[in-house]
Amino acid sequence: MATKRSGRGPTATQQAAKFLGVSVLSGVVLAGLALPGIGAFGLVAKGTVEGFDEIPANLKTPPLSQRTTILDSEGGEIAKVYSRDRTVVPLNEISPYIRKAIVAIEDSRFYEHGAVDLKGVLRAVNKNAQSGGVSEGASTLTQQYVKNVFVEEAGDDPDKVAVATQQTIGRKVKELKFAIQVEKELGKERILNNYLNITFFGQQAYGVEAASQRYFSKHAKDLTLGESALLAGIVQSPSRYNPVLAPKEATKRRNTVLARMAELKNITPAEAAAEQAKPIKLNVSRPKSGCITAVDGAGFFCDYVRETFLNDPVFGKTKEARAKRWNEGGMTIRTTLDPQTQKSVQKSITDHVYQDDKVATAISIVQPGSGKVLGMGQSRPYGFGQYQTQINLSADKAMGGSTYGFQVGSTFKPIVAAAALEEGVSPYKTYSSPFRMPYPEEVETCGKPWKNSIGETVNNENRSEVGPYGMKEAIAKSVNTYFVQMVGDIGLCPVVKMAEKMGVKPAAGGKLDQLPALTLGGSDGMSPLTMAAAYATFANRGTYCTPVLVESATGPDGKKLRVPKTKCSRAMSEQTADTVNTLLQGVVEDGTGKEAGLSGRDSAGKTGTTDERRAAWFVGYTPNLAGAVWVGGPGDKVEMEGITIGGVYHDKVYGADTPGPIWRDAMNGALDGRDAPSFDTIPIAGADKSSDKGSGNKPDNGRGQRKPGTAKPGGGKPGTNKPGNAKPGNKPADVPAPLLPNGISIPGITGASEQ
């Protein structure tokens, strides 16, 4: 044995010999046989040899990441998503040619040796010694498979990948010991099958099935001799031998594989020569991964499915566990997306709003009683280019939506009406409803009362809107002052509690602000999906159901997975819901929503337009479908006056004239050929039948003046136009802004009514 040189540790030969001795003593002879090769590679690390016996012999193989297929409710494919493009196939579904080609070029003695190829090691030692470097390796297919398992387990974490592939004696020794275990437990055929399914073939293709589809658009079982040789050659260096980008290098490598196969008598020399003479012929299928490839504009629906998986504890206890499970893939997820509804949504969008318009639109459609989301779309498609976006305009921030959502304007008024009805207010209740009035001096909340400390006022959209009005006419005409007087009576707490029962929450998260501006939808921003699900409560006679997008899911093994279920709870009495249905039917029959009415069907809904016309809405429903349409600037900065949308010029945009027709056309197509049930409603007659005719402006009745008010002075969230943040001049053009004594304009909140 060589002596130790001064100032240096053991030589590679000494380290290898020491390891061999330790291995023999411990009975691990096979592992010891491999070390001369490793020593020659220069992969030596002090202390590794002594710890060999302590290395666990159990190789934990992670599930191979595969494609996940997302389907609609009828089983049609929406999109395929994957972290790694792979489809695991059994050995009998892999061409014999590729099996022989891989063995020939990567480990020709695969069926003759154990986990370690001693002849290969000695050959490598000799060649490396002669060259003075590393000119040849000695890893068997089994060792390569083990290394790939380490890489697969590392996932997309670059630090973990670096550890899994680092050229150290520690990793090599670990790899060898696991290779011994794998050979013993799996046998040659399963090792080869696993190797062919795990290895990387370039062009985002993992495993031979994905590689076959990528380069030749065919299944792995149908690969020809030449195609198999080409794929087998890629494995050594997927970038260097990429047949798409480097066809000459790939051809040379393919021919090397064919020559080796002939040398091993896998094929005849004539067969090899015939294939070598042929040029490479590819039929490339470009990778189509992710929701960007979804059909019928369902990219954001697809993305919401992904967000659901990553956020719902039913798919894993921790965020990390859910992300890992999603990246492993191999699932088939059947969703609630209804193809007819989605096609209708997308057609209505493209008919009314262009992709390159200054503003965008978003639609969500929900089934009352089940919470199933049947359609979701927007005019800015899923993508990274101009007039494209990755923000789901229908969703809350936590689910990939905009940061603050969009103020909903007067579409919030039916929630106020429902709260009042639940508090015992008569549907025949009248208020004086002047054109302009001060907000109440004080409004009760669930905590400290709100006070109108700066004398804010509110006005209706048009000077002609002067009461007294009853509830039906007030909601049909969307009279702001009526609802401000109403909230002055009942307070904000019942309204906030009703909204929460109906699933209405700020898109940014957290709780609703208890400001009187909430009454007119001028407070927190919401998402279209939130509003569609809330209005479905009315259609469902007072029972709210949480939105769901996943019907069922199966794992790679075909076993069913648990999925989120809708949670339904009563938000209001059936009588209250029926009354609101009657009120909102009036909106589409002869109120602000006439342009959204459906012929031959019971329908109801409400328009909404916000301050400075930065957002316009129509939220409506039939007994069997509820939908919300928003139109506005994606960044909430476009004032929709003197604007062209979908080729149509608008002097001023209202909830009725743009969102309304979009909703109408989307719903007509979605409901075509389907049942047309009626609402179970109660009649709402004229105010003369009311036993409560309070005018709302008499000091002695406590109505309308007991607690004036809305808007907290100062400080709204960015981009929300909350009271205290709204600009002077938010009133209609023909209404002068009221002034404070010092001449400064009052920051008013109109919550603009609609025409």
Side-chain angles (χ1 to χ4, degrees):
M1 183 178 292
T3 59
K4 184 174 180 179
R5 288 171 289 177
S6 175
R8 299 185 182 181
T11 65
T13 305
Q14 289 172 327
Q15 181 79 341
K18 180 180 180 183
F19 180 81
L20 182 58
V22 171
S23 298
V24 170
L25 289 174
S26 61
V28 193
V29 179
L30 281 176
L33 293 176
L35 260 293
I38 291 177
F41 293 165
L43 305 174
V44 237
K46 186 177 180 181
T48 304
V49 172
E50 290 81 354
F52 180 80
D53 286 337
E54 281 68 51
I55 297 173
N58 256 337
L59 177 65
K60 295 180 180 179
T61 56
L64 298 183
S65 59
Q66 302 182 63
R67 297 176 182 175
T68 285
T69 303
I70 300 177
L71 307 175
D72 62 33
S73 62
E74 295 182 358
E77 184 176 309
I78 297 173
K80 281 188 169 68
V81 297
Y82 51 79
S83 173
R84 292 183 175 176
D85 186 11
R86 176 188 285 119
T87 300
V88 175
V89 291
L91 202 59
N92 62 6
E93 291 185 21
I94 299 174
S95 167
Y97 287 127
I98 184 67
R99 286 144 59 180
K100 291 178 181 178
I102 281 286
V103 170
I105 198 64
E106 290 296 320
D107 185 3
S108 61
R109 287 174 31 80
F110 176 64
Y111 290 103
E112 300 169 29
H113 60 67
V116 181
D117 181 9
L118 180 57
K119 288 185 178 180
V121 168
L122 296 176
R123 182 181 66 249
V125 169
N126 184 46
K127 287 193 175 182
N128 293 335
Q130 291 176 0
S131 67
V134 181
S135 62
E136 182 172 325
S139 291
T140 63
L141 271 182
T142 307
Q143 291 170 261
Q144 290 182 46
Y145 165 64
V146 171
K147 177 182 176 181
N148 274 311
V149 169
F150 295 157
V151 173
E152 185 74 19
E153 192 173 26
D156 297 323
D157 186 320
D159 294 332
K160 291 182 180 179
V161 171
V163 171
T165 57
Q166 61 185 343
Q167 290 296 316
T168 64
I169 192 171
R171 187 189 65 76
K172 279 291 186 181
V173 170
K174 188 177 180 181
E175 178 185 293
L176 286 170
K177 189 159 188 177
F178 283 140
I180 296 168
Q181 172 220 338
V182 167
E183 283 272 352
K184 180 180 179 181
E185 293 183 358
L186 299 185
K188 296 293 186 180
E189 293 299 289
R190 285 183 63 189
I191 292 171
L192 179 59
N193 189 199
N194 289 359
Y195 176 85
L196 286 169
N197 277 307
I198 200 173
T199 198
F200 181 53
F201 287 87
Q203 288 284 304
Q204 301 180 35
Y206 288 81
V208 68
E209 176 68 15
S212 183
Q213 293 287 353
R214 181 74 72 254
Y215 296 111
F216 306 113
S217 300
K218 61 169 62 174
H219 293 295
K221 65 181 180 180
D222 300 321
L223 288 169
T224 65
L225 171 59
E227 292 166 346
S228 297
L230 180 71
L231 291 186
I234 291 173
V235 171
Q236 187 182 81
S237 179
S239 56
R240 178 180 177 183
Y241 300 125
N242 185 329
V244 177
L245 302 178
K248 289 185 179 179
E249 285 295 312
T251 300
K252 290 179 184 177
R253 180 65 175 168
R254 178 203 65 179
N255 292 346
T256 298
V257 175
L258 290 166
R260 182 61 173 157
M261 291 178 75
E263 182 182 342
L264 296 170
K265 296 183 169 42
N266 295 140
I267 57 175
T268 66
E271 287 176 312
E275 292 297 329
Q276 288 171 334
K278 296 177 183 178
I280 288 177
K281 187 176 181 180
L282 303 177
N283 182 16
V284 176
S285 292
R286 297 296 177 187
K288 293 181 179 180
S289 170
C291 295
I292 196 171
T293 67
V295 299
D296 295 324
F300 290 100
F301 180 94
C302 169
D303 193 64
Y304 203 105
V305 171
R306 183 182 69 87
E307 292 289 348
T308 298
F309 198 101
L310 295 177
N311 285 279
D312 199 304
V314 75
F315 294 113
K317 292 183 179 180
T318 65
K319 185 176 181 180
E320 291 73 20
R322 295 190 293 271
K324 183 179 180 182
R325 184 67 191 83
W326 178 261
N327 288 332
E328 287 171 1
M331 296 175 288
T332 299
I333 299 175
R334 195 174 186 119
T335 71
T336 61
L337 189 76
D338 175 60
Q340 178 177 328
T341 300
Q342 183 62 27
K343 283 182 171 66
S344 184
V345 163
Q346 195 59 27
K347 184 178 187 306
S348 184
I349 288 171
T350 55
D351 285 349
H352 291 281
V353 182
Y354 297 158
Q355 180 178 334
D356 58 356
D357 282 342
K358 288 183 179 179
V359 296
T361 188
I363 308 177
S364 290
I365 295 183
V366 174
Q367 184 180 65
S370 71
K372 293 179 181 178
V373 180
L374 305 185
M376 180 184 285
Q378 61 190 52
S379 58
R380 297 283 173 91
Y382 195 109
F384 305 90
Q386 189 177 18
Y387 303 115
Q388 296 180 336
T389 182
Q390 297 166 65
I391 297 173
N392 186 347
L393 300 173
S394 284
D396 291 344
K397 177 185 176 183
M399 300 300 284
S402 63
T403 301
Y404 298 108
F406 311 101
Q407 290 182 345
V408 297
S410 293
T411 61
F412 198 85
K413 288 173 182 172
I415 300 172
V416 179
L421 291 168
E422 287 287 285
E423 289 292 297
V425 175
S426 167
Y428 307 110
K429 172 68 180 174
T430 63
Y431 285 104
S432 60
S433 312
F435 166 66
R436 179 187 289 128
M437 60 172 279
Y439 277 109
E441 294 175 358
E442 182 177 285
V443 179
E444 295 293 338
T445 70
C446 297
K448 185 179 179 181
W450 176 89
K451 295 180 184 285
N452 188 5
S453 58
I454 61 172
E456 293 190 60
T457 64
V458 61
N459 57 263
N460 299 326
E461 173 76 1
N462 298 310
R463 288 188 178 276
S464 61
E465 291 174 353
V466 177
Y469 290 117
M471 193 180 294
K472 184 175 182 181
E473 192 175 7
I475 206 163
K477 293 187 175 186
S478 200
V479 180
N480 289 337
T481 55
Y482 179 93
F483 288 94
V484 168
Q485 287 180 306
M486 177 178 283
V487 84
D489 277 353
I490 67 172
L492 281 167
C493 198
V495 176
V496 169
K497 288 182 177 179
M498 175 58 68
E500 290 173 346
K501 289 177 184 177
M502 296 173 67
V504 176
K505 58 187 184 301
K511 299 284 188 179
L512 291 168
D513 283 337
Q514 294 189 45
L515 305 174
L518 179 67
T519 310
L520 309 179
S523 183
D524 298 284
M526 319 294 179
S527 68
L529 180 57
T530 290
M531 296 305 292
Y535 271 53
T537 308
F538 299 134
N540 196 33
R541 302 195 69 196
T543 297
Y544 168 74
C545 296
T546 57
V548 290
L549 287 82
V550 179
E551 287 264 28
S552 62
T554 57
D557 55 3
K559 292 183 179 179
K560 287 187 176 182
L561 304 176
R562 289 178 60 218
V563 299
K565 301 294 183 183
T566 188
K567 297 176 182 177
C568 298
S569 57
R570 181 153 293 284
M572 67 193 75
S573 69
E574 288 187 358
Q575 183 178 3
T576 292
D578 291 344
T579 303
V580 173
N581 291 341
T582 300
L583 294 170
L584 295 185
Q585 279 181 282
V587 174
V588 299
E589 289 169 358
D590 53 15
T592 60
K594 284 188 292 186
E595 293 182 58
L598 304 179
S599 59
R601 288 182 181 275
D602 278 5
S603 62
K606 186 71 188 74
T607 54
T609 310
T610 67
D611 286 341
E612 298 177 315
R613 303 188 187 278
R614 294 190 179 194
W617 291 76
F618 187 85
V619 188
Y621 55 97
T622 67
N624 48 357
L625 222 55
V629 176
W630 159 86
V631 175
D636 198 32
K637 295 180 180 178
V638 179
E639 298 179 16
M640 294 185 290
E641 295 188 12
I643 190 172
T644 298
I645 302 173
V648 177
Y649 176 80
H650 298 267
D651 181 43
K652 293 181 179 180
V653 170
Y654 297 93
D657 66 11
T658 306
I662 295 172
W663 181 89
R664 178 196 64 217
D665 292 352
M667 294 288 279
N668 272 332
L671 291 166
D672 185 37
R674 295 178 175 175
D675 291 341
S678 298
F679 288 118
D680 293 316
T681 58
I682 62 172
I684 302 296
D688 59 317
K689 294 185 181 180
S690 172
S691 59
D692 182 356
K693 298 183 181 179
S695 67
N697 62 356
K698 296 179 181 178
D700 59 347
N701 67 7
R703 303 289 184 180
Q705 287 195 359
R706 181 170 58 86
K707 316 175 194 112
T710 103
K712 182 190 297 181
K717 292 178 183 176
T720 63
N721 290 336
K722 289 184 182 177
N725 192 34
K727 298 176 183 177
N730 286 352
K731 311 294 182 190
D734 61 342
V735 181
L739 302 177
L740 292 172
N742 60 4
I744 299 173
S745 296
I746 297 173
I749 296 294
T750 68
S753 301
E754 311 73 25
Q755 296 293 315

